Amino acid sequence: MILAFDTYYFEDKAKTVCVAFEQWKDEKPIEIYEEIISGVEEYEPGAFYKRELPCIMSLLQKIAIVKIDCIVVDGFVVLDDLGKNGLGGYLYELLEEKIPIVGVAKSGFRDNQKHVLKLYRGGSVKPLFITAKGVNLDKAFDCIASMHGKYRNPTILQILDTKTKENCKVKND
């Protein structure tokens, strides 16, 4: 089983969604999990993981899956050439380095050239930035490259993105 996570923030809440799928080439998830929590930490520059990691862990604890082959996060696993952890790196450590983590980010960091591969999909001139821990970076790149879809964002990850933002209302005063 492969799990992919994303979180959307609104007001003081966070909606975290996880799509579960069997194979990298799957077109549709086999299950979608979601949770909204309140009292979410404010964004701290350079420490995004402090905001999102508790959201992912909260939902992950509610998913009754025995065998997880890999987790995909919307963001970075490694942030820079020195190997500084991003969200996925902290998740990898929290899971006792037992589950490979692949990060798929839509924008890059200037100081991250060694631990990232740029993936161009669907004729897009903008790459996806792939990072990983617990799995060889080239293999992680190949897995994301093989995912279903003819656009920059693979179909499963587009479904995840859409579900994450679905029904999140921000009140305008």
Side-chain angles (χ1 to χ4, degrees):
M1 181 79 54
I2 304 163
L3 304 179
F5 285 88
D6 193 10
T7 302
Y8 180 75
Y9 301 93
F10 61 105
E11 298 171 346
D12 73 333
K13 297 176 178 63
K15 179 181 179 185
T16 302
V17 175
C18 171
V19 294
F21 53 106
E22 291 287 344
Q23 304 293 323
W24 290 104
K25 294 181 182 197
D26 287 355
E27 184 176 352
K28 296 179 183 175
I30 56 171
E31 191 71 53
I32 299 175
Y33 307 91
E34 60 182 67
E35 175 181 57
I36 295 175
I37 59 174
S38 298
V40 178
E41 294 289 325
E42 289 292 320
Y43 170 70
E44 182 182 327
F48 173 68
Y49 72 94
K50 289 181 180 179
R51 185 178 201 201
E52 191 145 332
L53 193 55
C55 302
I56 291 173
M57 289 306 297
S58 177
L59 183 55
L60 186 58
Q61 291 171 359
K62 295 176 177 159
I63 299 173
I65 295 175
V66 178
K67 176 78 170 104
I68 301 171
D69 298 310
C70 186
I71 293 176
V72 178
V73 295
D74 179 25
F76 282 88
V77 177
V78 181
L79 289 176
D80 63 19
D81 289 343
L82 300 176
K84 180 180 178 184
N85 275 341
L87 168 65
Y90 287 105
L91 179 60
Y92 182 65
E93 288 178 357
L94 203 57
L95 297 174
E96 300 175 348
E97 301 181 356
K98 293 179 180 174
I99 300 171
I101 310 292
V102 175
V104 179
K106 293 175 189 79
S107 58
F109 287 121
R110 181 189 66 215
D111 295 334
N112 193 356
Q113 303 301 314
K114 286 184 183 177
H115 303 288
V116 66
L117 291 175
K118 295 177 184 177
L119 172 60
Y120 293 89
R121 288 178 43 99
S124 177
V125 296
K126 290 181 165 184
L128 295 172
F129 297 85
I130 311 302
T131 54
K133 281 197 173 185
V135 61
N136 176 281
L137 182 56
D138 290 323
K139 182 173 181 348
F141 177 92
D142 290 344
C143 289
I144 301 300
S146 74
M147 291 180 80
H148 179 274
K150 55 185 175 182
Y151 301 108
R152 177 182 183 222
N153 215 15
T155 304
I156 290 264
L157 299 183
Q158 186 57 50
I159 291 168
L160 174 63
D161 185 63
T162 300
K163 286 288 186 190
T164 304
K165 294 173 185 157
E166 198 172 73
N167 300 320
C168 293
K169 305 245 189 280
V170 177
K171 293 178 185 172
N172 294 323
D173 294 332

